[in-house]
Amino acid sequence: MIRSVLFALMVAVGLLGAAEARAHAVLVESTPPADAEVVGAKVEFHLRYNSRIDAKRSRLSLKGPGGSRTLLPVQGANEAELVARAEGLAPGRYILFWDVLSVDGHVSRGQVPFLTIAP
């Protein structure tokens, strides 16, 4: 009897851990996509995650030929999307670094490299 109760308890704890792990924000789609070529000096970023994120506590930064700059992310069309804009970009290779806080309280990080070319 005790073994059955312990086994059921272990399964329940394992399921709780699995549900928590799924709540971490994972980038599922970005515009521009990774390694894209963007024409022009203005880029609008749309980052969509697999779970809700806290836009107010998330950060975006851009590193490229002109140095680094911090972007102001805002909530997108839903709670799983961030939107930001960068203007005045010189042609060259850039990396968008994202650092988001998911609703489970965990921070996820990643990057989206892309290239801007003159029109």
Side-chain angles (χ1 to χ4, degrees):
M1 173 76 174
I2 292 176
R3 284 185 175 177
S4 298
V5 170
L6 286 174
F7 179 74
L9 186 60
M10 289 173 53
V11 169
V13 170
L15 290 174
L16 287 173
E20 185 175 311
R22 284 182 287 168
H24 287 47
V26 174
L27 183 67
V28 293
E29 183 177 27
S30 70
T31 302
D35 301 320
E37 289 185 4
V38 179
V39 177
K42 183 168 67 173
V43 179
E44 186 164 314
F45 301 98
H46 292 264
L47 304 172
R48 189 171 60 87
Y49 297 88
N50 67 334
S51 65
R52 294 182 301 146
I53 55 170
D54 185 341
K56 292 179 182 175
R57 295 183 179 165
S58 298
R59 294 183 177 91
L60 297 177
S61 61
L62 188 62
K63 185 175 182 181
S68 297
R69 66 171 86 173
T70 301
L71 303 179
L72 178 63
V74 295
Q75 195 79 56
N78 57 58
E79 293 181 333
E81 184 177 294
L82 282 180
V83 176
R85 179 179 299 172
E87 297 181 3
L89 300 180
R93 296 205 173 276
Y94 290 85
I95 300 175
L96 174 70
F97 294 93
W98 55 265
D99 187 343
V100 299
L101 179 66
S102 61
V103 292
D104 70 346
H106 290 94
V107 175
S108 299
R109 295 180 176 89
Q111 52 189 273
V112 179
F114 63 97
L115 174 70
T116 60
I117 56 177

